[in-house]
């Protein structure tokens, strides 16, 4: 079980945070381009999923998977988007993304008066707390190859 | 009645407002810190009035300090002061290893330059509380690594 | 011991009083800094807005709520969840407009105004104006443009404090470049 990488976007598409642990292949474009692509794609998928839905929409887009990896998506009512890529052994982790929001983002970003909310997060404390949390997850590998 | 997070956010805005309002002064940093401290002082005085309405007077200065370190600190910062030292000559040092206003900011030296402005109001709060308990003093705060913080109280004998 | 018990009650209230006392000190400071009450009202609303855009995240993290389907659900959540959580009161929702886009929150015991008296000559001051900004800022973050204003104020001699909320429009997410 593995976590590859993790993105946080705000409601305007600004990438507030990105971190990778075991990413084996790069996208071949600059970070800036990748963030724009990721945000734009998620935006379109969300809209598509809702429009094409044959039944009532509740949560909307949550996840997609390929034969090699799975992308997990969680959006708060305030438009914050949390995206995590994992291998296929990881199931539904919506509650984990929600916990990252409520116990790490809210504690160490929202409650830090020095951080501006619409800029990339520079707080080392946030970084440490997130890292500790991720490493404590059962599906975070013990050894990074 | 009011949830504690409301005070946290109000304090953030207060610091921000005072700084912006002092922008035209010669020494922005000192003026805004002084303003925050005196606001904290007035609040500390009022707060202690309501808090100790039913309590008996303290038997001496040290007793007062212990009250501050235990009940007062607990009520406001949800924990007690970790360490109280004194030279028995009118100087007391209160050490809080996880000071409430610093725990979400940093775990070390990052953002250190901004720490003083979030300690000004607490210093005033402490000075105001002590003043209404009959102790006149000067309070300063020192941070070497967040979230730990030392408050130094210097008693003013008239 | 009875004194211990009395202390226990006091301790729980101290934090709430810290907020209301600090708020009072802030309003006093603003009244010194600004010549007229309208300016103070504006500043309070602005500060409230800044608080609201952060408070909403704390709220969403703690309250397990889904998206509101209409303004009536929003009203319920504001009164029964948000006001309860943050101020310990549950304002009465009333005076709905016929089209359902406007309602009032009636507050009998506004904790902000405990022990407060408006000084003479300041009748235009909306002492609790921070609340209008908080609501506006918080709602904006969940894509609602809402007008909030005080129509009654106990500090001004009215029986109740009444906040009026009017839905203006839904705010859409910014569409990323090249995606429309």
């Amino acid at each position: 079980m593995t976590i590859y990488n993790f993105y946080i976007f705000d409601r305007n598409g600004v990438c507030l945070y990105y971190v990778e642990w075991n990413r084996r292949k790069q996208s071949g474009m600059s970070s800036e381009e990748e963030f724009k692509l990721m945000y734009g794609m998620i935006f379109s998928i969300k809209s598509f999923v809702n429009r094409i839905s044959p039944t009532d929409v509740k949560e909307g887009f949550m996840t997609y998977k390929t034969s090699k990896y799975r992308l997990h998506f969680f959006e708060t009512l305030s438009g914050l988007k949390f995206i995590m890529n994992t291998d296929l052994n990881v199931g539904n982790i919506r509650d984990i993304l929600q916990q990252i929001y409520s116990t790490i983002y809210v504690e160490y970003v929202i409650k830090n008066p020095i951080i501006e909310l619409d800029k990339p997060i520079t707080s080392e404390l946030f970084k440490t707390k997130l890292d500790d949390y991720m490493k404590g997850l059962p599906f975070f590998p013990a050894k990074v190859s | 009645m009011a949830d504690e997070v409301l005070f946290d956010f109000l304090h953030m805005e207060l610091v921000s407002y005072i700084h912006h309002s002092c922008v035209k002064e010669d020494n922005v940093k000192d003026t805004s810190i002084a303003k925050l401290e005196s606001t904290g002082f007035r609040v500390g005085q009022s707060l202690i009035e309501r808090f100790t309405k039913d309590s008996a007077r303290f038997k001496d200065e040290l007793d007062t300090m212990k009250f501050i370190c235990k009940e007062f600190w607990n009520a406001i910062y949800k924990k007690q002061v970790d360490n109280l030292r004194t030279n028995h000559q009118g100087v007391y040092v209160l050490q809080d290893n996880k000071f409430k206003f610093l725990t979400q900011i940093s775990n070390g030296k990052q953002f250190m330059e901004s720490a003083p402005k979030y300690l000004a109001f607490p210093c005033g709060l402490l000075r105001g509380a002590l003043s209404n308990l009959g102790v006149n003093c000067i309070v300063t705060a020192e941070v070497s690594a967040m979230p730990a913080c030392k408050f130094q109280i210097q008693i003013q004998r008239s | 011991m009875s004194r211990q018990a009395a202390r226990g009650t006091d301790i729980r209230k101290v934090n709430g009083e810290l907020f209301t006392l600090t708020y009072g000190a802030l309003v006093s400071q603003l009244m010194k800094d600004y010549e007229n009450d309208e300016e103070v009202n504006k500043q309070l609303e602005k500060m409230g807005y800044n608080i609201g855009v952060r408070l909403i995240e704390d709220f969403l993290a703690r309250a397990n709520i889904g998206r509101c389907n209409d303004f009536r659900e929003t009203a319920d959540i504001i009164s029964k969840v948000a006001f309860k959580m943050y101020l310990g009161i549950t304002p009465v929702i009333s005076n709905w407009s016929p089209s359902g886009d406007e309602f009032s929150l009636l507050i009998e015991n506004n904790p902000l105004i405990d022990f407060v008296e408006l000084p003479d000559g300041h009748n235009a001051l909306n002492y609790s104006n921070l609340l209008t900004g908080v609501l506006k800022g918080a709602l904006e973050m969940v894509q609602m443009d809402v007008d909030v204003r005080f129509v009654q104020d106990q500090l001004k001699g009215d029986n109740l404090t009444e906040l009026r909320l009017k839905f203006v429009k839904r705010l859409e997410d910014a569409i990323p470049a090249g995606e429309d």
Side-chain angles (χ1 to χ4, degrees), chain A residues 11 44 78 101 110 112 115, chain C residues 54 57 60-61 140-141 179:
Chain A
R11 49 221 291 280
S44 300
S78 50
Y101 165 65
I110 294 292
N112 180 338
I115 294 189
Chain C
R54 287 191 186 237
E57 309 288 356
L60 291 176
E140 199 178 290
M141 296 300 110
E179 290 297 331

Side-chain angles (χ1 to χ4, degrees), chain B residues 140-154:
Chain B
T140 52
E142 192 191 300
V143 187
S144 50
M146 296 200 243
C149 177
K150 282 196 192 128
F151 290 88
Q152 178 164 294
I153 301 171
Q154 192 139 11

Side-chain angles (χ1 to χ4, degrees), chain B residues 1-3 6-7 10 50, chain C residues 16-27 44 48 51 83 86-89 107-117 126-132 134 150 153-155 161 163:
Chain B
M1 294 271 274
D3 188 285
L6 284 186
F7 173 75
L10 182 65
R50 301 227 252 282
Chain C
E17 299 193 345
L18 179 60
F19 172 70
T20 51
L21 288 171
T22 305
Y23 185 71
L26 169 66
V27 178
L44 283 172
I51 291 177
F83 265 86
Y86 291 112
L87 290 173
I89 58 175
I107 302 171
E108 266 188 342
N109 41 346
N110 179 358
L112 289 178
I113 64 176
D114 282 344
F115 307 110
V116 174
E117 259 178 39
N126 290 333
Y127 182 84
S128 309
N129 225 35
L130 194 88
L131 291 180
T132 60
V134 173
F150 279 98
D153 191 343
Q154 280 167 307
L155 277 187
T161 298
L163 267 171

Side-chain angles (χ1 to χ4, degrees), chain C residues 24-36:
Chain C
L26 169 66
V27 178
S28 295
Q29 184 67 50
L30 288 173
M31 284 168 73
K32 280 199 208 108
D33 293 343
Y34 292 96
E35 284 299 308
N36 71 67

Side-chain angles (χ1 to χ4, degrees), chain B residues 60-66 68 84-94 126-127 129-131 133-140 151-158:
Chain B
D60 59 19
E61 203 172 81
L62 187 59
D63 213 33
T64 309
M65 289 304 164
K66 285 184 182 162
I68 293 282
L84 169 66
R85 286 192 342 261
T86 176
N87 64 359
H88 297 290
Q89 282 170 29
V91 178
Y92 295 85
V93 177
L94 278 57
L126 183 53
R127 186 168 70 89
L130 284 168
S131 143
L133 290 174
V135 178
N136 286 322
C137 57
I138 295 180
V139 179
T140 52
F151 290 88
Q152 178 164 294
I153 301 171
Q154 192 139 11
I155 309 287
Q156 308 286 104
R157 311 236 189 259
S158 48

Side-chain angles (χ1 to χ4, degrees), chain B residues 26-88:
Chain B
D26 282 330
N27 194 337
V28 183
K29 199 166 169 214
D30 288 348
T31 319
S32 50
I33 287 193
K35 261 186 163 172
L36 284 163
E37 205 275 353
S38 64
T39 310
F41 178 77
R42 290 195 298 280
V43 174
Q45 283 186 310
S46 308
L47 202 60
I48 212 72
E49 244 167 49
R50 301 227 252 282
F51 191 23
T52 55
K53 245 188 321 206
D54 310 316
S55 309
R57 271 351 212 131
F58 302 103
K59 58 181 188 323
D60 59 19
E61 203 172 81
L62 187 59
D63 213 33
T64 309
M65 289 304 164
K66 285 184 182 162
F67 164 78
I68 293 282
C69 291
K70 293 200 172 108
E71 280 97 344
F72 182 77
W73 221 256
N74 220 354
I76 307 219
Y77 303 119
K78 299 289 178 284
K79 64 183 286 290
Q80 296 186 8
V81 162
D82 293 301
N83 197 298
L84 169 66
R85 286 192 342 261
T86 176
N87 64 359
H88 297 290

